[in-house]
Amino acid sequence: MVGRLTITFPWIELLPESERPEFVADFLNHARGGLAVGRLAGLTATLAAWRDTAAAHADPRIRVDGTDLNYLDKPVVVRDPRGGE
């Protein structure tokens, strides 16, 4: 299945092999659910999230094991970029 999806979504190759089965499961679940109700927004969002994950894995500045990530202890409030509060 991964091989066939890679034809359409070549960025799958950038995911670690250990994450590819999870991608396929997410893809199939959202595709089936979306097709069942005629709404594919969930599938679109899932594909965008996985594509961004693949891009992060391809970035040489980011470590795959996550040791370079900084987690926040408290949420940080940011200004709404649309001009709201």
Side-chain angles (χ1 to χ4, degrees), residues 5 14-15 28-29 50 52 61 70 75-76 81-82:
L5 288 173
L14 301 173
L15 293 171
L28 291 175
N29 287 337
W50 277 105
D52 291 346
R61 299 169 298 168
N70 295 315
V76 175
R82 299 169 294 186

Side-chain angles (χ1 to χ4, degrees), residues 69-77:
L69 299 177
N70 295 315
Y71 292 94
L72 303 175
D73 294 327
K74 298 178 188 176
V76 175
V77 179

Side-chain angles (χ1 to χ4, degrees), residues 8-84:
T8 305
F9 309 111
W11 47 259
I12 293 172
E13 293 289 337
L14 301 173
L15 293 171
E17 286 191 41
S18 62
E19 292 185 21
R20 293 175 192 176
E22 184 181 352
F23 163 76
V24 171
D26 278 355
F27 175 82
L28 291 175
N29 287 337
H30 283 90
R32 286 181 187 128
L35 290 170
V37 296
R39 304 263 191 242
L40 296 177
L43 177 59
T44 301
T46 297
L47 287 171
W50 277 105
R51 185 190 62 234
D52 291 346
T53 300
H57 281 290
D59 189 333
R61 299 169 298 168
I62 299 173
R63 295 187 188 132
V64 174
D65 64 3
T67 57
D68 59 336
L69 299 177
N70 295 315
Y71 292 94
L72 303 175
D73 294 327
K74 298 178 188 176
V76 175
V77 179
V78 295
R79 186 181 61 79
D80 186 334
R82 299 169 294 186

